[in-house]
């Protein structure tokens, strides 16, 4: 995405991989708050950064010097993801070779992630995050003021802590993040997402999607033993829930 170009739906891939600059990311977040399509795709793609970190750990020669791919290769990569989703093939291929270099910083690695039918349903879009949520140490809360229901599932990793979030009873439109707070007061953003106008996990939701909770996930470079709590916040700093762990 170039400064003079409008925000495009395909920018969700670059945003998830963290390759947008600060201005581009801020502009995309404004777009994200009002775009259910991009919010859904971002939820589906947020699993890539932790996987790429795992790829780096598993690489046979982490000191190898690999040329950084040019923007053309990254554009083609993201176009492949979008094309596969549009055609709703039974099997999806996420080619993340370039992203492995950009995000993990290690040797060139290719991952193929497959899934079932790509119908745009909450069950499909949250399938990976939901699976990650089922495994791990869990903690949760219902905020007494906002009534937002939030719970996390934590899994220890060599690089830190993998965190899956389950969020319900939240209305939009909002753009939020999950922040890990250490016992020493240090903070790290685990993941960022958008809540559409219809919300998530609402008993009176207008659609099945709105009635389902949101599942998303990300990672923190903190060891599990050093994490004191998590906070769900809007990007303007309003706290929606606090989860003590």
């Amino acid at each position: 995405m170039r400064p003079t170009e409008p925000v495009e739906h395909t920018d969700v891939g670059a945003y998830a991989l963290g390759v947008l600059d600060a201005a581009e990311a801020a502009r995309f977040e404004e777009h994200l708050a009002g775009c259910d399509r991009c919010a859904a795709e971002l939820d589906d793609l947020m699993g890539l950064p932790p996987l790429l970190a795992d790829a780096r750990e598993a690489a046979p020669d982490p000191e190898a010097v690999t040329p950084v791919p040019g923007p053309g290769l990254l554009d083609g990569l993201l176009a492949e993801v979008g094309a596969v989703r549009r055609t709703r093939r039974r099997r999806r291929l996420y080619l993340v070779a370039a992203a492995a270099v950009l995000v993990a910083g290690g040797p060139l690695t290719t991952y193929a992630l497959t899934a079932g039918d790509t119908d745009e349903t909450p069950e499909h879009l949250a399938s990976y995050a939901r699976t990650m949520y089922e495994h791990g140490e869990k903690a949760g809360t219902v905020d007494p003021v906002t009534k937002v229901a939030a719970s996390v599932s934590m899994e220890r990793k060599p690089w830190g802590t993998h965190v899956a979030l389950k969020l319900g009873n939240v209305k939009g439109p909002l753009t939020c993040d999950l922040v890990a707070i250490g016992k020493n007061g240090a903070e790290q953003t685990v993941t960022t997402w958008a809540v559409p106008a219809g919300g998530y996990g609402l008993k009176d939701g207008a659609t099945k999607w709105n009635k389902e909770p949101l599942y998303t996930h990300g990672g923190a470079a903190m060891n599990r033993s050093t994490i004191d709590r998590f906070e769900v916040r809007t990007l303007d700093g309003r706290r929606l829930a606090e989860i003590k762990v």
Side-chain angles (χ1 to χ4, degrees), residues 17 52-53 55-56 69 77 95-111:
L17 295 173
L52 296 174
R56 183 182 183 186
L77 226 165
L95 301 178
V96 293
V101 176
L102 292 172
V103 177
L108 196 64
T109 304
T110 301
Y111 263 93

Side-chain angles (χ1 to χ4, degrees), residues 15-97:
Y15 181 79
L17 295 173
V19 298
L20 297 180
D21 62 30
E24 291 169 338
R27 185 161 47 156
F28 179 73
E29 286 169 357
E30 292 179 3
H31 167 78
L32 191 65
C35 181
D36 290 356
R37 170 184 166 184
C38 286
E41 191 159 348
L42 179 62
D43 180 49
D44 208 27
L45 293 180
M46 284 310 292
L48 292 180
L51 286 175
L52 296 174
D54 287 343
R56 183 182 183 186
E57 294 162 14
D61 183 11
E63 299 300 324
V65 177
T66 306
V68 176
L73 180 56
L74 179 59
D75 290 344
L77 226 165
L78 298 176
E80 172 69 12
V81 173
V84 171
R85 289 179 63 86
R86 286 193 299 272
T87 55
R88 297 192 173 188
R89 296 172 183 170
R90 186 169 183 80
R91 294 172 63 85
R92 293 180 305 164
L93 179 64
Y94 289 148
L95 301 178
V96 293

Side-chain angles (χ1 to χ4, degrees), residues 76-245:
L77 226 165
L78 298 176
E80 172 69 12
V81 173
V84 171
R85 289 179 63 86
R86 286 193 299 272
T87 55
R88 297 192 173 188
R89 296 172 183 170
R90 186 169 183 80
R91 294 172 63 85
R92 293 180 305 164
L93 179 64
Y94 289 148
L95 301 178
V96 293
V101 176
L102 292 172
V103 177
L108 196 64
T109 304
T110 301
Y111 263 93
L113 303 179
T114 60
D117 293 336
T118 57
D119 291 335
E120 300 300 320
T121 64
E123 291 81 3
H124 167 69
L125 294 171
S127 59
Y128 184 78
R130 186 192 298 263
T131 299
M132 298 308 301
Y133 179 82
E134 296 303 324
H135 303 281
E137 176 192 354
K138 297 180 179 61
T141 187
V142 175
D143 189 271
V145 177
T146 66
K147 307 303 180 183
V148 169
S151 56
V152 296
S153 179
M154 297 162 286
E155 184 179 4
R156 297 172 189 265
K157 293 286 187 178
W159 46 260
T161 306
H162 187 187
V163 185
L165 171 70
K166 178 181 179 181
L167 188 70
N169 201 33
V170 57
K171 298 179 179 180
L174 295 171
T175 305
C176 308
D177 52 17
L178 177 66
V179 179
I181 303 174
K183 294 177 180 178
N184 61 356
E187 297 186 357
Q188 292 182 10
T189 299
V190 174
T191 183
T192 303
W193 67 94
V195 178
Y200 287 112
L202 299 171
K203 293 181 179 179
D204 58 349
T207 67
K208 183 178 179 181
W209 188 335
N210 303 139
K211 293 177 182 178
E212 291 287 331
L214 168 71
Y215 286 89
T216 187
H217 68 108
M222 297 179 178
N223 292 329
R224 164 64 189 94
S225 60
T226 67
I227 299 175
D228 178 67
R229 66 189 185 278
F230 293 89
E231 290 188 4
V232 178
R233 303 172 181 168
T234 61
L235 291 193
D236 61 7
R238 182 165 62 94
R239 190 175 72 187
L240 300 180
E242 180 184 62
I243 308 166
K244 295 184 180 294
V245 298

